[in-house]
Amino acid sequence: MSIDKPPFDVSFTENPSRRTLLKRAGKVGFATLLSTPIPFLANLAPGLLPVALAQGTSPKDMGKDGLTLLNDRPINMETPPHLLDDRVTPANRLFVRNNGLLPDLSGVTEDNWRLVVDGKVERSLDFSIAELKTNFETVTLQLQLECGGNGRKFYQPGATGNQWTFGAIGCPAWTGVRLRDVLEAAGIKPGAVYTAHFGADTHLSGDPEKMPLSRGVPVEKALESHNLIAWAVNGAPMPVLNGHPLRLVVPGWPGSCSQKWLTRITVRDQIHDGAKMTGKSYRVPAYPVAPGTSVPDEDMEIIHSLPVKSLITLPRTGTKVRPGVSFEVRGHAWAGDLDVAAVDVSMDFGASWKLAELSAPVNKFAWQHWQAEMTLPEAGYFEIWARARDTDGQMQPPLPPGWNPKGYLNNMQHRIAVFAV
Ligand SMILES: Nc1nc2c(c(=O)[nH]1)N[C@H]1C(S)=C(S)[C@@H](COP(=O)(O)O)O[C@H]1N2
Ligand SMILES: [Mo]
């Protein structure tokens, strides 16, 4: 039994200096982070930072307030659960998962950014963002976006990659056009099987032939009416780090299906085989395996819907409350393609559970809010646990479920510490 590890540590960088961070955004990324072209960029000596950015490039400087930086090359940040308390995730609290370097967005407008739709379609189409807006109905939906590797940190033996804990999830309101409407305008041909998504970001190696990520979904999922080709988050242009000026949002499935900096959607007559579609990427063993098992690639299956999950967003872990005085516990729950049927909370390490109040989603694929009043009986250390159950009866487990080589699909219960004093 062995786990393949790369010869270098790609998993976790605690405190990269802001200089390192900027360098790793890639030189063209300076323009992106400043949201303006830098006409003389070519003259800027390698290692010399634009003064406007040299104040510091922490998550906060990149417009992400309070997020935890997991990696700086590529840039990855997660949101601490208590900062996900809003019903609609603010853009500055939405996690960031990049596989490559930021694209050069200098000079980009809604008229010159192009989206090509081609492949197994009756007619290839090519739209600017302005044309998408005039040709199709604009819709706004609150949609969950979660990384398939959220929770990876808790698998043992561990998997390489970003050590996400709980915060690679968000549910903002996205505005765009329906992927279905655009695909129907192109006309899906018989024999079409899968979509292939392409974005403008570049490979970490700098090799222009290589793509950081190009995934897709079965045509049936692509035609589901909640997938959006989006240009706005919460009514404002989306943050560069989250895919400005155009991205896919394919809710309920691994976030990797939601291509950022979207430039092309190709309809294919086979399962897409782009970057991170094959091998062990976003796949789990077709059968349960013992932790640490080396699984042959041909026994790995592509992840579809993500499993049921919940978060406690209030109170923040470590909070002090008064014994005998009730306080509010609340959070969100979501269940991939399904809905959440119930959420329970416990204050006695799971020995007994109390049903929380659960609201319906504002629209399909939006997370659901839950709330409970709790009273700790005496002074001391307590934990609040939450567990959600989906409409198929699947329940969140207390420990990480089915170990898999890349550490996907960990939907274990969220626990917080509370002191009664
Ligand atoms: N072009 C492009 N799109 C991408 C990625 C990427 O690296 N490049 N990462 C994907 C992954 S793995 C996830 S989880 C989501 C994260 O979206 P966010 O960064 O807006 O939170 O974007 C997806 N879309
Ligand atoms: Mo992801």
Side-chain angles (χ1 to χ4, degrees):
M1 282 198 266
S2 79
I3 310 275
D4 297 330
K5 285 220 162 87
F8 48 91
D9 179 20
V10 293
S11 60
F12 195 87
T13 318
E14 202 124 23
N15 273 315
S17 70
R18 52 182 192 252
R19 178 174 267 305
T20 313
L21 195 58
L22 275 169
K23 223 162 61 193
R24 291 179 176 184
K27 200 169 161 185
V28 293
F30 293 163
T32 299
L33 290 170
L34 285 169
S35 310
T36 175
I38 307 176
F40 295 122
L41 183 64
N43 302 342
L44 190 67
L48 196 59
L49 301 180
V51 154
L53 287 173
Q55 301 309 314
T57 300
S58 60
K60 188 170 184 168
D61 296 316
M62 290 188 278
K64 295 290 181 180
D65 197 8
L67 272 61
T68 309
L69 189 69
L70 298 187
N71 196 350
D72 63 336
R73 185 188 170 82
I75 296 169
N76 286 287
M77 317 176 200
E78 72 170 328
T79 317
H82 71 280
L83 295 183
L84 287 169
D85 190 50
D86 299 84
R87 290 183 166 227
V88 181
T89 309
N92 68 355
R93 299 265 165 86
L94 182 60
F95 77 101
V96 176
R97 198 297 184 238
N98 289 341
N99 289 267
L101 300 173
L102 294 175
D104 181 4
L105 300 177
S106 48
V108 164
T109 67
E110 67 166 26
D111 294 306
N112 65 15
W113 186 270
R114 309 300 301 187
L115 171 66
V116 171
V117 181
D118 62 2
K120 248 184 136 35
V121 291
E122 303 294 343
R123 55 205 87 79
S124 297
L125 299 174
D126 184 346
F127 298 102
S128 67
I129 297 170
E131 286 161 354
L132 284 175
K133 290 179 180 175
T134 49
N135 282 287
F136 301 99
E137 184 188 350
T138 293
V139 285
T140 297
L141 293 169
Q142 211 190 316
L143 302 171
Q144 353 144 348
L145 180 70
E146 183 178 19
C147 182
N150 198 17
R152 172 177 294 134
K153 183 182 170 73
F154 305 108
Y155 279 107
Q156 283 185 353
T160 55
N162 290 295
Q163 297 300 294
W164 304 109
T165 64
F166 291 96
I169 170 78
C171 191
W174 306 91
T175 298
V177 296
R178 291 183 194 91
L179 173 62
R180 185 183 68 183
D181 292 349
V182 173
L183 290 175
E184 282 176 353
I188 305 259
K189 276 192 176 163
V193 171
Y194 229 83
T195 55
H197 314 150
F198 301 91
D201 47 339
T202 59
H203 196 265
L204 289 178
S205 65
D207 182 346
E209 302 299 312
K210 287 192 184 160
M211 262 176 260
L213 179 98
S214 172
R215 304 197 69 243
V217 293
V219 165
E220 311 81 73
K221 173 68 177 174
L223 291 175
E224 209 288 331
S225 64
H226 291 78
N227 306 312
L228 297 184
I229 300 173
W231 54 79
V233 173
N234 302 336
M238 69 180 82
V240 162
L241 289 168
N242 299 108
H244 175 80
L246 197 66
R247 77 171 299 168
L248 272 173
V249 185
V250 179
W253 287 36
S256 51
C257 301
S258 296
Q259 196 83 28
K260 300 192 281 188
W261 310 293
L262 183 70
T263 55
R264 179 181 292 261
I265 300 169
T266 302
V267 180
R268 301 197 59 179
D269 59 3
Q270 61 163 85
I271 295 175
H272 183 44
D273 52 2
K276 309 227 164 156
M277 273 305 303
T278 59
K280 294 191 171 52
S281 293
Y282 301 102
R283 290 175 183 239
V284 291
Y287 43 82
V289 300
T293 304
S294 139
V295 183
D297 281 0
E298 59 270 25
D299 290 355
M300 301 290 287
E301 280 181 347
I302 298 172
I303 298 168
H304 286 177
S305 175
L306 293 172
V308 63
K309 210 157 164 176
S310 62
L311 266 188
I312 303 164
T313 60
L314 188 88
R316 174 185 190 160
T317 192
T319 292
K320 295 185 177 75
V321 299
R322 301 202 79 63
V325 178
S326 89
F327 61 99
E328 185 185 10
V329 179
R330 70 181 181 214
H332 319 288
W334 60 99
D337 282 341
L338 302 175
D339 287 342
V340 178
V343 174
D344 305 313
V345 287
S346 173
M347 65 169 97
D348 55 9
F349 305 115
S352 69
W353 295 87
K354 167 182 172 173
L355 196 61
E357 261 176 56
L358 177 70
S359 65
V362 293
N363 53 250
K364 179 74 189 156
F365 293 108
W367 62 16
Q368 295 168 241
H369 315 294
W370 58 266
Q371 189 268 342
E373 295 296 322
M374 299 188 90
T375 306
L376 303 181
E378 58 195 280
Y381 174 80
F382 295 85
E383 288 186 7
I384 310 252
W385 296 8
R387 66 174 189 196
R389 178 160 46 83
D390 69 25
T391 46
D392 268 359
Q394 297 292 319
M395 172 101 78
Q396 285 185 264
L399 295 169
W403 182 92
N404 61 91
K406 299 271 272 177
Y408 298 121
L409 304 184
N410 181 2
N411 67 335
M412 70 189 218
Q413 293 160 17
H414 185 211
R415 304 156 51 191
I416 61 161
V418 182
F419 297 86
V421 289

